[in-house]
């Protein structure tokens, strides 16, 4: 499995994967992504900044998408909690989705492992990775903690009114 930076030619593919992710969440009764987030403008911005990635299987099938966003991420300005590291040298994993036709093959776990390994080995300037997920998305919460992230707090109404998100951090470089 490998991660490949998405280009504007990949916009429809990314949007298809995220729409499928939205549907998977709805089928599980999770209210995450059921509004106007993420939308095409978010993805265009991700691509323009070099933050959007496609997840490709070893047989060259596109199985998922994610964004690795540079700091500062102002959605975390209202964190109800405390970071493990007080740093501006972090990146945030957002908009993670594995297409339903590729679910159950371990791609999400390998995606996290790939991102974490890449940051630790090639981005010594990045001190931590941050991520958040909806309070009801227990599958993602499990995936996040299984990959070494620590829950550091909550966000209240940042993405949509009444929505609670759990926030996690993983220290990637010790000083």
């Amino acid at each position: 499995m490998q991660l490949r930076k998405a280009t504007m030619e990949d916009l429809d593919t990314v949007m298809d994967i995220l729409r499928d992710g939205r549907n998977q969440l709805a089928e599980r009764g999770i209210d995450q992504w059921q509004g106007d987030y993420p939308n095409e403008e978010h993805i265009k911005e991700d691509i323009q900044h070099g933050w959007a990635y496609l997840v490709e299987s070893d047989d060259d099938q596109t199985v998922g998408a994610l964004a690795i966003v540079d700091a500062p991420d102002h959605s975390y300005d209202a964190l109800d909690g405390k970071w493990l590291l007080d740093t501006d040298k972090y990146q945030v994993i957002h908009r993670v989705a594995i297409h339903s036709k590729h679910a159950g093959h371990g791609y999400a776990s390998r995606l996290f492992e790939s991102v974490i390994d890449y940051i630790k080995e090639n981005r010594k300037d990045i001190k931590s990775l941050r991520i958040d997920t909806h309070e009801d998305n227990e599958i993602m919460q499990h995936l996040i903690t299984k990959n070494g992230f620590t829950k550091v707090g909550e966000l209240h109404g940042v993405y949509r009114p009444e929505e609670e998100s759990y926030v996690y951090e993983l220290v990637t470089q010790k000083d």
Side-chain angles (χ1 to χ4, degrees):
M1 189 200 83
Q2 57 272 348
L3 302 179
R4 174 178 69 79
K5 276 200 183 204
T7 67
M8 279 301 173
E9 281 111 47
D10 299 313
L11 179 63
D12 289 342
T13 301
V14 174
M15 291 306 300
D16 177 58
I17 292 166
L18 294 178
R19 275 190 293 275
D20 180 77
R22 175 180 287 141
N23 293 339
Q24 290 178 64
L25 290 166
E27 287 169 9
R28 294 194 336 249
I30 299 170
D31 199 29
Q32 186 175 10
W33 290 7
Q34 301 307 304
D36 188 40
Y37 175 90
N39 62 42
E40 193 169 294
E41 291 308 309
H42 292 119
I43 307 315
K44 284 180 179 176
E45 181 182 346
D46 288 347
I47 292 170
Q48 289 165 350
H49 285 96
W51 298 338
Y53 290 85
L54 290 171
V55 182
E56 296 181 338
S57 65
D58 291 335
D59 59 356
D60 294 323
Q61 292 187 63
T62 300
V63 300
L66 78 152
I68 304 171
V69 178
D70 292 333
D73 186 329
H74 294 293
S75 58
Y76 291 146
D77 289 353
L79 175 71
D80 181 3
K82 184 172 178 4
W83 296 113
L84 299 175
L85 279 184
D86 182 18
T87 183
D88 60 355
K89 294 181 169 118
Y90 65 90
Q91 287 185 310
V92 181
I93 301 170
H94 277 305
R95 299 177 275 286
V96 176
I98 300 296
H99 198 284
S100 58
K101 67 183 176 187
H102 300 286
H105 298 285
Y107 290 120
S109 290
R110 290 201 305 261
L111 175 155
F112 272 91
E113 291 165 11
S114 294
V115 170
I116 292 165
D117 289 348
Y118 177 81
I119 297 297
K120 284 182 175 181
E121 293 168 18
N122 300 292
R123 293 295 308 270
K124 303 290 187 191
D125 58 314
I126 300 299
K127 303 300 181 193
S128 79
L129 283 170
R130 297 174 178 179
I131 190 169
D132 64 86
T133 193
H134 191 280
E135 64 183 326
D136 295 332
N137 193 341
E138 293 176 3
I139 291 173
M140 183 58 78
Q141 292 168 31
H142 172 75
L143 191 62
I144 290 167
T145 56
K146 177 178 125 178
N147 281 282
F149 286 79
T150 301
K151 185 178 174 190
V152 296
E154 299 175 359
L155 296 175
H156 310 286
V158 169
Y159 298 108
R160 292 177 29 219
E162 309 304 318
E163 186 171 284
E164 298 286 320
S165 297
Y166 297 155
V167 183
Y168 301 82
E169 184 174 31
L170 173 72
V171 175
T172 56
Q173 301 294 331
K174 306 236 192 262
D175 285 332

